Amino acid sequence: MILKTLFSQLLTRPPTNRFPAKYMPKSVLGFLGRVKEGKAELVPPVPVPPRFRGKIAYSREKCIGCQLCIRVCPAKVIEFLPEVKKIRMHVARCTFCAQCVDACPVGALSESPEFLLSDTDRRSPALTVE
Amino acid sequence: MAEAQKVYEIPIGPIHPALKEPIRFTFQVEGERIRGVDVRPGFAHRGIEFMGLKRNLIQVLYLSERICGICSISHPIAITLAVERAAGIEVPPRAQYLRVIFSELERIHSHLLWAGVAAHELGFDTLLHLTWKVREEVLDVLEELSGNRIDYSIPIYGGVRRDIAPEQYPKVEAMIRHYRGLLEELLDAFLRDPSVAARTRGVGVLTAEEADSLCAVGPTARASGLAKDVRQDRPYLVYGELGVRAITPRDWGLEPRGDVYDKAVVRLLEIGQSLDLIEKCLHEMPDGEITAFPKIPALLAFLKKAEGEGLGWHEAPRGEVIHYIRLEAGVEEPVAWKVKAPTYSNLMSWVPMFRDQEVADIPIIAASIDPCMCCMDRVHVVQDGSPSTLLKEELLRLSRAKTERVLQGLSRVGGGA
Ligand code: SF4
Ligand code: SF4
């Protein structure tokens, strides 16, 4: 039975998604640079489901500075900016529990489908939401 | 004298390529035979309970989720049950069904993970890749329902955070059908395969008496023939109504022997049981609220006023997990939090299981209880900069002294236990 499965796999596509390219590039950063220049093509990642919990999106206009999100955040992601009564999130610490989204009384926070968040600098703009 | 010299000691761990997590075994071996083993845990102690005492209950919930990545719904279920008992919160019926659905989905992916690991330890990597490939299906469903592949963040005190939408039902049902068809193939590959049987039959035996006296839990105990399952013995959520029955090798038509083969039997059959439970829940689940506290500020305020203690238990994929919590009015943090993970109860079963086995069987026997060290490590004794051992008498004395101290503290604030 297992042999049947194994041989049938010879004829099917591999279940692994070959991200970011069919063959591993020598340098991933170099490859991504070429993708930006339009010289190479990215194999897209597996699509995420509709209510995926990705990087938290923040609407600065809606935020009333109540700090409820800071109270419930288990990972101390969120920093309060007292002068402007707004928040700043350090995504590198985030556990994607989305408890802050549930807690926010004005709906200033939401789950975005974005999940490719690796960076070499945890303070980089890509990892800071404000 | 001449006898004693034939026995050598092999230390394995705390860090060793064959171990997935740090723990130290000291084997006494005579030739290829293991004559005895000393197990020393405590290398992955993270002080989670201590961290919990410095956070409010909502933050503790997500901390508990990170006790174990694989049991990432079992710990939240146990802690929410404990807090709900302590604070007197009623959970709406639909939320109880949803919690059951998520925990059974977790059981499926955890048992498939174990099956893959076991196949790998036996040197059967084809089977590892096959099992882990099919495991993706349930992870996809979990991601669809919860938004996360692991650490689903689903239970909250008073209910759950996400409902299963009508358009998601067909996806779950399709998954159930898919696995029903696959299960036969998996049973075939594991249980009817002569080479798997040759490597696991009679290996790592834990007799029913040993399992009972060492308080083994979960599949480790059930493989020895003990019909022991918290879902059956002390029903919680809606498990009572669903009628869960502990699975033993008898369900596969065999007298339990308590070896590695039987542990595979129990875990694989439990995948089928979980599929049945999920299907039943989907059909029987009533409509209605999914949480008693739709507003987080109201929940925080309620928990702050709550006073009391509570115990929550759950049958995690590896066995019984228990959370104890004590709340005091006016403080947001728990004043006491105690976690007992299943591996803690199963650890001692290794001693009889390793006796008189071959050195080459160490990896599969170690893996057969599906151990999880970092979930279990609660103490690491360090004195004068070096680790030391506390004997039972000394521990008992320390424990009694602490009770005295706690009682004195209680009488000072004027409240009794
Ligand atoms: S998702 Fe969770 S960890 Fe991340 S910012 Fe929100 S509350 Fe904090
Ligand atoms: S909970 Fe919402 S409104 Fe309040 S500080 Fe956070 S983001 Fe702003």
Side-chain angles (χ1 to χ4, degrees):
Chain A
M1 194 109 161
I2 185 168
L3 284 179
K4 208 180 99 202
T5 313
L6 292 181
F7 282 116
S8 71
Q9 280 186 357
L10 288 175
L11 305 172
T12 53
R13 277 187 46 214
T16 328
N17 182 36
R18 292 178 156 167
F19 176 76
K22 189 164 180 196
Y23 299 106
M24 189 64 191
K26 275 221 178 64
S27 146
V28 175
L29 283 179
F31 173 75
L32 292 178
R34 285 202 300 286
V35 169
K36 265 205 194 109
E37 290 162 20
K39 284 185 197 147
E41 214 175 308
L42 191 83
V43 175
V46 178
V48 295
R51 292 198 62 200
F52 182 74
R53 298 190 213 217
K55 182 178 173 182
I56 303 294
Y58 171 55
S59 154
R60 206 176 161 89
E61 295 76 57
K62 281 193 194 160
C63 176
I64 52 169
C66 69
Q67 300 187 53
L68 250 173
C69 51
I70 300 180
R71 249 180 94 195
V72 297
C73 175
K76 305 209 166 90
V77 174
I78 311 168
E79 179 189 358
F80 187 58
L81 308 172
E83 318 81 55
V84 284
K85 292 214 169 59
K86 302 284 170 187
I87 58 160
R88 176 184 295 144
M89 301 174 102
H90 302 283
V91 182
R93 299 183 61 100
C94 182
T95 66
F96 308 103
C97 65
Q99 186 63 64
C100 52
V101 178
D102 284 14
C104 180
V106 292
L109 299 169
S110 58
E111 299 139 342
S112 83
E114 198 183 331
F115 68 94
L116 294 170
L117 299 170
S118 46
D119 206 311
T120 46
D121 174 17
R122 66 171 95 180
R123 297 195 168 271
S124 79
L127 292 183
T128 311
V129 176
E130 57 181 343
Chain B
M1 207 50 212
E3 286 292 285
Q5 275 169 0
K6 277 200 267 170
V7 178
Y8 290 89
E9 272 196 355
I10 315 184
I12 293 190
I15 308 296
H16 190 277
L19 299 172
K20 290 177 183 57
E21 283 181 85
I23 189 156
R24 193 176 69 202
F25 295 103
T26 312
F27 290 101
Q28 281 96 42
V29 295
E30 191 183 336
E32 269 295 308
R33 292 280 153 196
I34 299 165
R35 293 297 177 220
V37 62
D38 186 23
V39 183
R40 167 131 154 51
F43 298 97
H45 177 48
R46 295 172 290 172
I48 280 209
E49 288 159 333
F50 181 74
M51 287 158 75
L53 303 187
K54 299 180 172 307
R55 285 162 161 78
N56 70 39
L57 278 168
I58 291 193
Q59 294 170 319
V60 174
L61 179 61
Y62 299 102
L63 190 62
S64 81
E65 193 169 65
R66 274 141 193 94
I67 292 176
C68 180
I70 303 296
C71 297
S72 59
I73 198 147
S74 301
H75 287 281
I77 283 190
I79 194 176
T80 45
L81 287 171
V83 169
E84 282 152 8
R85 281 203 183 98
I89 301 175
E90 197 73 49
V91 183
R94 188 173 175 88
Q96 302 199 18
Y97 276 95
L98 286 166
R99 283 187 191 176
V100 169
I101 292 179
F102 277 99
S103 59
E104 295 308 318
L105 285 170
E106 176 180 271
R107 196 179 315 279
I108 295 174
H109 95 67
S110 173
H111 282 350
L112 285 173
L113 178 99
W114 177 85
V117 169
H120 170 70
E121 304 289 14
L122 292 175
F124 206 167
D125 277 348
T126 326
L127 206 47
L128 157 75
H129 294 299
L130 211 62
T131 342
W132 283 24
K133 186 189 101 184
V134 302
R135 175 171 173 256
E136 284 304 305
E137 204 92 6
V138 59
L139 290 176
D140 283 348
V141 166
L142 278 164
E143 193 182 31
E144 164 80 36
L145 299 182
S146 76
N148 282 348
R149 255 167 74 92
I150 52 155
D151 290 341
Y152 327 104
S153 309
I154 285 297
I156 182 106
Y157 310 113
V160 292
R161 290 181 51 203
R162 279 199 184 180
D163 202 348
I164 300 185
E167 68 271 14
Q168 288 172 325
Y169 275 66
K171 287 186 181 148
V172 185
E173 281 156 3
M175 180 215 77
I176 296 175
R177 276 197 306 278
H178 173 79
Y179 277 118
R180 286 240 169 89
L182 252 168
L183 198 58
E184 196 45 40
E185 197 174 329
L186 276 177
L187 290 170
D188 211 59
F190 277 94
L191 303 181
R192 298 196 190 97
D193 185 280
S195 46
V196 172
R199 281 300 310 275
T200 55
R201 261 302 181 207
V203 171
V205 175
L206 183 72
T207 63
E209 296 74 51
E210 283 163 348
D212 196 29
S213 64
L214 293 172
C215 304
V217 294
T220 308
R222 292 196 281 278
S224 300
L226 301 185
K228 186 172 166 183
D229 189 319
V230 211
R231 292 174 295 170
Q232 159 197 291
D233 305 333
R234 304 201 63 180
Y236 51 99
L237 299 177
V238 284
Y239 279 119
E241 285 121 72
L242 292 168
V244 183
R245 207 175 42 79
I247 286 194
T248 64
R250 287 190 194 96
D251 295 277
W252 185 243
L254 296 172
E255 244 338 273
R257 293 198 228 166
D259 51 13
V260 177
Y261 184 86
D262 279 351
K263 292 186 177 73
V265 171
V266 169
R267 290 205 175 90
L268 291 172
L269 293 185
E270 277 181 13
I271 297 177
Q273 181 187 38
S274 293
L275 292 174
D276 294 345
L277 284 172
I278 297 169
E279 194 174 41
K280 220 166 161 191
C281 284
L282 283 180
H283 286 147
E284 292 179 5
M285 190 158 63
D287 287 337
E289 287 296 312
I290 57 161
T291 170
F293 293 95
K295 293 261 180 290
I296 296 297
L299 175 63
L300 275 171
F302 185 90
L303 289 175
K304 192 168 178 180
K305 276 189 284 162
E307 168 117 30
E309 56 182 352
L311 199 61
W313 55 85
H314 174 60
E315 180 77 22
R318 285 154 189 75
E320 170 198 55
V321 43
I322 299 177
H323 279 240
Y324 166 83
I325 205 129
R326 190 176 168 80
L327 309 176
E328 234 166 58
V331 274
E332 285 200 313
E333 300 83 17
V335 288
W337 179 31
K338 186 79 209 137
V339 181
K340 194 227 55 141
T343 305
Y344 186 79
S345 309
N346 282 334
L347 206 61
M348 288 314 288
S349 317
W350 266 335
V351 176
M353 280 162 67
F354 276 122
R355 198 172 299 128
D356 296 327
Q357 300 298 311
E358 283 178 26
V359 172
D361 289 330
I362 291 175
I364 183 66
I365 298 177
S368 75
I369 69 163
D370 205 357
C372 192
M373 301 340 158
C374 62
C375 316
M376 165 207 70
D377 278 343
R378 291 286 159 266
V379 228
H380 189 77
V381 187
V382 181
Q383 211 167 32
D384 311 326
S386 72
S388 69
T389 313
L390 284 185
L391 294 178
K392 188 179 160 205
E393 290 72 32
E394 176 66 5
L395 260 182
L396 205 61
R397 197 187 58 71
L398 281 176
S399 167
R400 287 191 178 142
K402 179 166 180 185
T403 311
E404 298 257 303
R405 272 203 319 277
V406 171
L407 282 179
Q408 272 166 12
L410 283 182
S411 57
R412 255 208 314 283
V413 292

